[in-house]
Every structure is written in C-alpha cells, then in structure tokens.
Amino acid sequence: MALWTEGKSKKQIARLLKVNIKTVRSIIATGGIKNSVATRARALPCVEELTELYRRCEGYVQRMHEILTEEQGVSIGYSTLTRAIRRLGIDRGDQPPPSTHVPDEPGREMQHDTSLHTITINGKACKLICSGLYLRYSKMRYIKYYRTFNRFQMKCFFDEALRFFGHCAQVCIIDNTSLAVYSGTGADAVFAPEMVAFANNYGFRWVAHALMHANRKAGKERNFRTVETSFIPGRSHVSMEDLNAQALQWATVRYAKRPQSHTRLIPAKLFENELPFLRKLPDFITPPFLPHKRIVDKFGYIRFDANFYWMPSGAGKQVSVIQYAHRIVVYAQTKQELIAYTLPPVGTQMQTFAPADKPGTRGQPRNLKKNCTEQERLLRQKGTVVGGYIDFIRSKDCAIRYKAQFIRELYDLSRTCTESLFVNITERALRFHVCTIKALLRMAVHLANNQSGEGHVPPPLPQDLQQRQAYQQGRFCTENPPPWIDDTTHQAQE
C-alpha cells in the first residue's frame, strides 16, 4: 500500500515485489487487508467447540459443515473443515496416532504373529496356520506351520524358537489375540497370568499394539509377504514334517544369509552383532506341558488324540497324561511314572502304539475303528462290476451309515462263494440298489440254487395266490420286485 500511495502503478508494484498482479489488485481493492487462509481460519470456533460439535454430529463432517455455515454463519469450505479436523486430531479422539516411528535398538524388540496359508501337501491343498517370530533389529526369523493353533501350541512355538536362538529380546510385540490377552486392548491390555508366567521364565514381557495398528509390527507383517512370495511357490511337500523342515532351513539358513533388498544387510551377521544385547536364556527352563485325564479300557489302552496307547500293569482305571510338544508321559494316580510315548506324525489316527516287548492281549482297544482299505482293494480287483458296486456304496445315494463295516462284510461274503457267483450278486445288487448283507445272502442262495443244475425248475405258485389278502394289499405297490425273484420264475409259471 505504501508503494501505491507513492504513485507506483500496479504492474510496477507486482514487478518490484515479484508477485502476481492479481494479488496486488485484490489487496488494493480491500484496502490493504488480504483475505488469507489465516484470516478465514480465525473465523472457526475453538478446538473445544469443534470437538463438541463433532461428538454431537456423531462424526459426520457434512452435518458439521451445515451447522457452521447455516446456523453459526461461519464461511468455510468443506475441504477446509475436514483438513482442520484431521490436523487438530479431533477425528482420532483418544487413540494414538496411526503410525509411530520406533527406532531399531539391538536386543530391544521381537514380534510375533500368525497368518493363514494354503499349501499343497502330498497333492492336496491344505489351509495351515503359519506362526512366525521376528527379531526386529537383526531381521532374523523363525516360522513353523500348524493345522490348529491354540495357547498350548503358542507356548510350544515360543519355546522351540527361543531355544533355537538361545536368546530373547526384552519385549514381544503381538496383536490383541485372546491366546495371550485376557482383557483390554493395546496399552490397556491385561495379559493372562498363565502367559505372563510363561514369558517370565524366558526373560521377556508381552506388549500389545493398539487396535487397527498392525503397522506397529510391520516387520512381521512384511515377513509373511516374503514367505508367500519366496518360500511357498514352486515347492512340494509330502507331509507336515517335511514342510516344517523346509521352512526351518529357508528361514534360518537360506534367508538369513541373503542380503536385504534395500539396505543390503545380512540378518545372520546382524544377529551376531545383536547377541551381546539380547537376554540369554536360563540354563534350565521347564518346557510347556498340558495335563489330561484318561480312562484305561478293559484291554489296557487309553485314547489320546485319535490314537490308542497301551498301559502297563498297575495303571489302574484312571491315569494322568502330561502332554509336551513332541511326547506324552503317563502317570498313575500315585504320581508314579508308568510309560512315555513319542507322538506320531501329524494326521495319524486310529493307530495302536505299544512297546515291542508288550505282553499279548486278548482284544483290541475299545472304540478302535477298523478300516477297510485292504478289503476294498481286493474287491476292486474282481472287476469293474464289483468296483461299480463299491462306488455306489461309497456315494451319497447309499443309505448305509457304517460303510467300512459293510465293505468288510462284503469281502467276507466274497470268500464264501465262487467269483462268478459273487459278480452276479454284485451286478444285481447294483441294479436294485441293495444295501444290506442279509439281502445279499438271500440273493446268493437263490442264484446258487439256479446254478446247481440245468433241470432245476422253481416250484409253481399256489393257485389261490391272487385271492390272498397279502396279495390284494400289495397290488398298489410300485416298488421293484425283490432281487432274488427274476424273470425265469415267471417264465416257469407260464
């Protein structure tokens, strides 16, 4: 304005101040008061009033804009209002900022999380849970796959991973999983006493990040992405044990010696530098265990995890089973150790386990379901007709509940008759959808009588058959005739 009053033109003022001429015109038109953003911002209510209005409008900024412009006469744009709300942090309330930079300190932090992966094992796609532990400073990692993941398996995983490293960090960042958190979330989380005592044995403590702030353990989240792109593709696995063996070798050997993409740092060398800052594990730590109670059946077996284990004499009617990560130990009621077993591979079911020098018993364990794999294989070798009948038995169209028992009984029937007779039985049974052994036996007797001689003629039907009450009641029946009555019977009558 001083230049304007001295007689300078608008173009000269714009050239001297190096501003746009439109800016000079607007300032001169308003008498030297620029309608700047700061001037408009001063027209906004104070932070307390905006916070109260935000709460009253339940977070709907569009309604806040209407109230400010129509009722309070505040001239403000909608985008300016939303930017002010974000800048003042009104929309977050008491929540911490969505991202906070935490510096990498050696020996300070490790992170744990789980992720669901679909992996092909022995030609079959399986959904498995990947559990991973990540040392933030050195970028070392440890992963293992589980079919199910509960609190006991979480303890076993930490015990296995920390024993592998031999050290642990001061804190472990986790999400608000119920496996470790008893109540609350984030900074207000209350951890289960059982998990607190478990962490104290190794020398670390749990820390839960705030809700929806998974980037607090971004290193672990990024690790799962690396597993999905670098480990899973192009690999074949024959069992869970083979999968975990390959995962261990990839995470702790192959990937640990690979330079990082951006920093070109090698995790294995960083881990050597971090060792003096990590907490060394105690010389002895009680491994995680889970107690169970089991009843000994009359044949001396107990059932555990879908398998049967033989008990020595003196076990009594009830025993205590202590489950560890890879074995079980059985104790009598007198706290005396009876026997110990190594757990079979994952997925093993309906198998009996006993020492090699076990004395003979007179029976199998109670509730042991017998399979029919061998019997079915031998039956299918008899031809396509028998195989088609077994396919029908296995299908949903068959109403047999205990299919394995029926196939075993069918195999016993095949051993009591000739192969040609058995094929004829199964062919007719498949035609009429026969699903009982008794009906198959009647068919076998009928067909055997027909094959016994050429001159065999069935006895004639009674003359008063059609006048009998049972015949009259059955004239409305639409069902097929019994399978053991064939056309030769009617031809013989004619």
Side-chain angles (χ1 to χ4, degrees):
M1 288 301 295
L3 294 175
W4 175 255
T5 55
E6 292 178 0
K8 300 289 184 180
S9 65
K10 296 178 182 178
K11 288 185 177 180
Q12 291 176 343
I13 296 174
R15 190 178 300 111
L16 290 172
L17 299 179
K18 296 182 180 180
V19 296
N20 195 299
I21 190 173
K22 294 181 180 180
T23 304
V24 177
R25 291 172 183 173
S26 63
I27 294 175
I28 294 175
T30 57
I33 302 175
K34 183 181 177 182
N35 189 18
S36 61
V37 176
T39 305
R40 293 195 300 269
R42 284 195 295 269
L44 282 173
C46 62
V47 178
E48 291 75 11
E49 294 179 0
L50 280 178
T51 304
E52 176 62 24
L53 183 60
Y54 184 86
R55 185 194 60 79
R56 183 157 62 93
C57 295
E58 299 179 355
Y60 292 98
V61 184
Q62 181 65 40
R63 178 55 183 158
M64 293 178 60
H65 183 260
E66 294 176 358
I67 294 176
L68 289 174
T69 56
E70 298 176 5
E71 299 181 7
Q72 300 184 12
V74 178
S75 179
I76 184 175
Y78 177 75
S79 60
T80 305
L81 177 61
T82 56
R83 183 171 63 251
I85 290 175
R86 291 194 302 269
R87 185 179 67 252
L88 298 174
I90 297 175
D91 56 340
R92 295 195 301 268
D94 296 333
Q95 296 182 3
S99 61
T100 303
H101 177 71
V102 179
D104 287 344
E105 299 179 8
R108 172 63 183 172
E109 182 181 308
M110 57 186 179
Q111 302 172 1
H112 173 264
D113 201 2
T114 57
S115 180
L116 188 64
H117 293 162
T118 301
I119 299 180
T120 302
I121 298 180
N122 201 15
K124 183 178 179 181
C126 304
K127 289 187 176 181
L128 303 175
I129 300 174
C130 178
S131 178
L133 186 66
Y134 176 79
L135 298 179
R136 186 183 175 193
Y137 179 80
S138 62
K139 310 299 185 291
M140 286 291 292
R141 61 205 67 197
Y142 190 98
I143 62 173
K144 188 174 182 178
Y145 283 91
Y146 295 86
R147 294 190 181 273
T148 60
F149 199 72
N150 52 30
R151 180 174 292 181
F152 173 68
Q153 289 171 332
M154 182 177 181
K155 290 181 179 180
C156 293
F157 171 77
F158 267 87
D159 180 76
E160 183 176 336
L162 294 180
R163 289 180 186 273
F164 176 83
F165 292 126
H167 299 74
C168 69
Q170 300 177 18
V171 298
C172 181
I173 307 297
I174 61 173
D175 54 13
N176 298 273
T177 173
S178 59
L179 300 182
V181 178
Y182 178 75
S183 63
T185 59
D188 299 328
V190 178
F191 295 95
E194 176 185 353
M195 300 304 291
V196 174
F198 171 80
N200 291 337
N201 290 336
Y202 297 85
F204 70 93
R205 60 184 180 89
W206 305 102
V207 174
H209 64 68
L211 285 178
M212 308 303 294
H213 290 182
N215 53 357
R216 179 61 184 86
K217 50 179 176 55
K220 186 63 237 164
E221 300 292 344
R222 182 62 180 87
N223 180 30
F224 285 135
R225 176 65 177 171
T226 306
V227 172
E228 295 170 359
T229 57
S230 300
F231 172 70
I232 297 179
R235 293 179 183 268
S236 60
H237 316 283
V238 297
S239 63
M240 283 288 295
E241 289 72 20
D242 178 42
L243 169 62
N244 285 323
Q246 294 189 36
L248 176 63
Q249 194 274 342
W250 175 84
T252 60
V253 178
R254 186 178 185 87
Y255 195 84
K257 297 180 180 179
R258 180 191 304 174
Q260 299 296 295
S261 57
H262 297 291
T263 61
R264 310 306 297 175
L265 297 175
I266 300 177
K269 294 183 178 179
L270 288 177
F271 180 69
E272 296 178 359
N273 298 332
E274 190 184 13
L275 277 178
F277 302 93
L278 294 171
R279 294 181 176 178
K280 184 174 174 47
L281 298 185
D283 295 335
F284 176 78
I285 301 176
T286 302
F289 63 90
L290 192 63
H292 304 272
K293 294 290 185 180
R294 289 295 183 269
I295 301 297
V296 183
D297 64 11
K298 61 181 180 180
F299 299 112
Y301 288 88
I302 63 171
R303 184 169 183 172
F304 184 83
D305 198 16
N307 292 300
F308 297 88
Y309 297 88
W310 177 81
M311 294 292 104
S313 59
K317 295 183 178 180
Q318 188 178 26
V319 295
S320 299
V321 180
I322 305 299
Q323 178 187 2
Y324 296 95
H326 304 289
R327 64 190 182 98
I328 59 173
V329 182
V330 185
Y331 294 88
Q333 293 296 319
T334 58
K335 309 301 181 182
Q336 177 186 0
E337 180 177 342
L338 296 174
I339 197 172
Y341 286 99
T342 301
L343 291 177
V346 178
T348 304
Q349 294 182 353
M350 293 301 161
Q351 300 295 324
T352 59
F353 297 92
D357 56 348
K358 175 188 72 71
T361 57
R362 66 177 186 275
Q364 293 291 330
R366 186 180 61 180
N367 300 328
L368 176 61
K369 296 181 181 179
K370 301 178 181 179
N371 57 37
C372 60
T373 305
E374 186 65 20
Q375 291 88 338
E376 182 176 349
R377 184 184 65 82
L378 295 175
L379 287 174
R380 290 184 181 276
Q381 292 179 356
K382 296 183 179 295
T384 57
V385 176
V386 180
Y389 181 63
I390 294 179
D391 293 337
F392 162 71
I393 297 299
R394 289 291 190 183
S395 66
K396 296 182 179 180
D397 298 333
C398 182
I400 297 178
R401 182 176 181 182
Y402 303 104
K403 300 181 183 295
Q405 179 181 356
F406 181 86
I407 293 177
R408 290 196 300 269
E409 293 177 352
L410 181 65
Y411 174 74
D412 294 338
L413 175 62
S414 67
R415 299 176 61 187
T416 60
C417 56
T418 61
E419 185 171 350
S420 60
L421 177 60
F422 182 73
V423 172
N424 292 336
I425 295 172
T426 53
E427 182 180 6
R428 183 166 294 191
L430 179 60
R431 175 185 175 187
F432 297 104
H433 288 188
V434 179
C435 301
T436 61
I437 292 296
K438 291 183 179 180
L440 294 179
L441 290 174
R442 291 194 295 268
M443 293 169 56
V445 172
H446 173 73
L447 293 175
N449 291 335
N450 288 345
Q451 295 178 2
S452 60
E454 305 220 358
H456 176 73
V457 178
L461 297 176
Q463 296 295 330
D464 60 339
L465 176 64
Q466 297 183 358
Q467 285 74 31
R468 292 182 181 180
Q469 183 180 1
Y471 185 90
Q472 295 295 326
Q473 293 177 353
R475 72 183 186 274
F476 303 107
C477 182
T478 59
E479 297 179 353
N480 294 326
W484 56 86
I485 299 180
D486 56 2
D487 297 336
T488 58
T489 304
H490 301 286
Q491 294 175 2
Q493 294 176 5
E494 296 174 359

